[in-house]
Amino acid sequence: MVNEEHYACLKKGVQTWNEWRLKNPGVLVNLFEANLSMTDLIGANLSRVNLSGANLSRAKLEKVNFMGAELFMAYLSGANLSMANLSKANLSMANLSMAELIGANLSMANLSRTQALGTDFTGAKFTATCLEDWHINSATKLDNIDCQYVYLKSYKQERRPSSGEFRLGEFTKLFQKALETVDLIFTDGIDWKAFLLSFQELQAEYGEENLSVQAFEKKSGGAFVVRLEVLPEANKAEIECRIKELYEVKLNALEGMYRKELQAKDEQIIIYKEQSASIMSLAKEMAARPIQNIIDVKANAENNSVSETFNNNFNQPNIANFANKNQDDARQQANQNIYQSQQNHNLDGTKKEIQQILNQLAQTNPTTDVVTEAIHQKIKTDPTFKARLLAALKAGGLEALKAIFNHPAFSIPAETIKGYLEAE
């Protein structure tokens, strides 16, 4: 809670407050959740003051010293902080929307998850500032920023630039470009088929011309970042939420399909074993049965000839042959099913290998032409790789190649790959 004594002193005016601070330099000032909306605090010394959750909306805060102040979740919307000293201040999750920070010093400040929609940062200092997940839009002004480097993650991680310093105007270009992107983070890896299906559905909802994949980035621990390019006025939070929702739906559907395919393969083997066992039982039963039980032999001559014909056709060796033929037919059918299953498995293996190659290439952000040539060189130098692609082409034609090389980052024509295979 706010310290009433401190709050009352501040409300008496800036001069009284600054004199009190000079006399009590070691006092920890607590103005937690204080209501200072529209208050004139120009030139006040609020260094190291706890203003977490305070309401400073539309307050006059020009040239205020906020150095090292705690402004976590403070409400500063519409406030004027021009020329204010906010170095080393904690502004994480604060609301700076529509505020003026012209010429403000934000060096080494923490702006993690800070709202800065329509905020004017013209001429502000940003060196060593943490900007993790801060929220800006096309109305945010970032002109003439004074900045050597920033951090995109807490605890001085993800330095930008990774080495050296920003050249004149580079900070502004970096974050103006970020205004038109949405970063999707997949911490547990990514199922590219599920992502492609969900991205295509998202494009259908928002318009294909309004959404595109800008880049892929592989992080440590198997995580992936997919950067989508969107319109400046697009609702990025809504797009991020929607594609993650679609991805989960597609992923669950694909996992169910994969389980069914595995189950189908197991069932084919079981059916073959059951058919074999059934036919062998039939053969044994018929071979052991007396011929008289099969054919009722008549005493007259006419029936003898008929009986003889039946006996010749249904003697014990022929019964076994009949059973063996049926068993062979069943085995051939089962083998055909298993062969088809193996063919599908081989295609899946080839596709998985190609997708791994394409995912690795995607990390360097190459053009489709570069990737296509890399595949060409691998076909020329890797006989096993070429053989697997030829087998896929033979088994499924161009459609198989299209499925194998289907990747959200590249558009590699199946006809081109077919040409490489036939030319080499």
Side-chain angles (χ1 to χ4, degrees):
M1 295 295 292
V2 64
N3 184 302
E4 294 297 337
E5 180 185 349
H6 300 164
Y7 182 67
C9 181
L10 183 60
K11 294 294 283 186
K12 289 179 181 178
V14 172
Q15 185 175 348
T16 302
W17 172 261
N18 286 347
E19 289 174 356
W20 182 83
R21 288 300 305 273
L22 284 171
K23 292 177 182 178
N24 300 277
V27 174
L28 297 176
V29 180
N30 183 11
L31 294 171
F32 177 76
E33 293 187 345
N35 184 5
L36 297 164
S37 177
M38 295 188 286
T39 304
D40 185 346
L41 297 173
I42 296 173
N45 180 8
L46 295 172
S47 61
R48 299 182 303 280
V49 171
N50 181 8
L51 285 156
S52 296
N55 182 1
L56 290 154
S57 62
R58 292 180 289 171
K60 295 180 179 180
L61 304 171
E62 296 99 309
K63 299 182 180 179
V64 170
N65 181 8
F66 284 109
M67 183 177 179
E70 187 64 50
L71 288 155
F72 172 73
M73 292 188 72
Y75 191 67
L76 292 145
S77 179
N80 190 340
L81 294 106
S82 296
M83 304 304 295
N85 182 6
L86 289 150
S87 61
K88 299 183 181 179
N90 180 15
L91 286 152
S92 60
M93 298 183 71
N95 189 339
L96 291 170
S97 295
M98 305 305 295
E100 291 185 27
L101 286 94
I102 299 170
N105 183 1
L106 290 154
S107 299
M108 294 182 282
N110 182 3
L111 270 69
S112 300
R113 292 171 291 281
T114 299
Q115 292 249 17
L117 308 178
T119 307
D120 189 349
F121 289 108
T122 301
K125 295 179 175 63
F126 273 88
T127 297
T129 303
C130 177
L131 301 174
E132 180 177 6
D133 297 331
W134 71 325
H135 300 287
I136 57 178
N137 62 6
S138 56
T140 304
K141 294 182 180 179
L142 298 169
D143 301 324
N144 303 318
I145 297 297
D146 181 354
C147 181
Q148 296 173 9
Y149 59 91
V150 293
Y151 297 104
L152 301 184
K153 294 291 182 183
S154 301
Y155 307 108
K156 297 184 178 181
Q157 297 184 47
E158 298 286 337
R159 186 186 190 272
R160 292 293 185 277
S162 55
S163 61
E165 298 178 355
F166 283 123
R167 292 194 291 269
L168 185 64
E170 282 187 338
F171 175 94
T172 303
K173 288 181 182 178
L174 173 65
F175 287 100
Q176 280 183 339
K177 186 177 181 181
L179 293 176
E180 301 173 0
T181 62
V182 174
D183 282 359
L184 305 173
I185 303 171
F186 298 86
T187 55
D188 299 321
I190 185 170
D191 185 304
W192 290 109
K193 187 171 183 179
F195 173 76
L196 179 61
L197 291 170
S198 56
F199 179 67
Q200 288 173 338
E201 188 166 332
L202 192 73
Q203 279 187 316
E205 293 180 8
Y206 285 88
E208 187 174 344
E209 69 281 2
N210 298 329
L211 279 172
S212 62
V213 176
Q214 187 186 86
F216 298 93
E217 187 177 353
K218 186 177 181 182
K219 298 288 187 179
S220 58
F224 271 91
V225 176
V226 180
R227 184 163 296 118
L228 302 183
E229 189 168 355
V230 300
L231 295 176
E233 63 271 18
N235 187 330
K236 291 185 280 294
E238 180 184 279
I239 290 173
E240 181 178 358
C241 181
R242 178 59 178 151
I243 194 167
K244 286 186 176 180
E245 177 184 295
L246 289 170
Y247 178 78
E248 287 301 319
V249 172
K250 304 300 181 187
L251 184 62
N252 290 335
L254 286 172
E255 286 178 348
M257 185 181 72
Y258 298 151
R259 284 193 293 269
K260 286 181 180 178
E261 288 179 352
L262 290 172
Q263 184 180 356
K265 291 176 184 177
D266 292 340
E267 287 174 352
Q268 286 174 358
I269 295 171
I270 292 170
I271 289 170
Y272 166 70
K273 289 180 177 178
E274 288 176 348
Q275 287 175 336
S276 296
S278 176
I279 292 170
M280 285 302 294
S281 298
L282 175 63
K284 289 178 181 178
E285 180 183 346
M286 294 182 69
R289 190 181 300 169
I291 297 176
Q292 288 83 357
N293 290 344
I294 303 171
I295 305 160
D296 187 11
V297 182
K298 302 293 182 178
N300 59 67
E302 182 179 353
N303 287 339
N304 276 342
S305 64
V306 175
S307 228
E308 185 179 352
T309 302
F310 272 75
N311 278 326
N312 287 335
N313 290 335
F314 286 87
N315 55 31
Q316 288 190 24
N318 283 340
I319 292 170
N321 290 338
F322 171 77
N324 288 336
K325 183 179 185 304
N326 280 277
Q327 184 179 9
D328 288 341
D329 290 343
R331 184 182 291 109
Q332 287 173 7
Q333 181 62 45
N335 285 341
Q336 184 177 355
N337 291 339
I338 293 171
Y339 173 76
Q340 185 61 45
S341 176
Q342 288 172 341
Q343 287 291 94
N344 292 338
H345 178 72
N346 291 339
L347 286 174
D348 289 343
T350 304
K351 182 176 181 179
K352 183 177 180 181
E353 180 183 357
I354 295 295
Q355 292 298 312
Q356 287 176 344
I357 293 170
L358 295 179
N359 291 343
Q360 289 172 358
L361 291 170
Q363 296 173 32
T364 60
N365 242 355
T367 64
T368 297
D369 291 341
V370 171
V371 174
T372 304
E373 181 56 29
I375 296 296
H376 184 199
Q377 293 303 316
K378 188 165 180 64
I379 290 171
K380 292 173 67 175
T381 58
D382 189 337
T384 303
F385 180 75
K386 178 184 175 182
R388 293 183 70 178
L389 286 180
L390 282 169
L393 178 62
K394 182 178 179 181
L398 280 175
E399 291 303 315
L401 291 182
K402 287 179 182 178
I404 288 170
F405 285 93
N406 184 13
H407 194 278
F410 313 111
S411 179
I412 302 174
E415 293 81 359
T416 302
I417 301 300
K418 181 174 180 288
Y420 291 156
L421 293 170
E422 293 175 345
E424 300 301 329

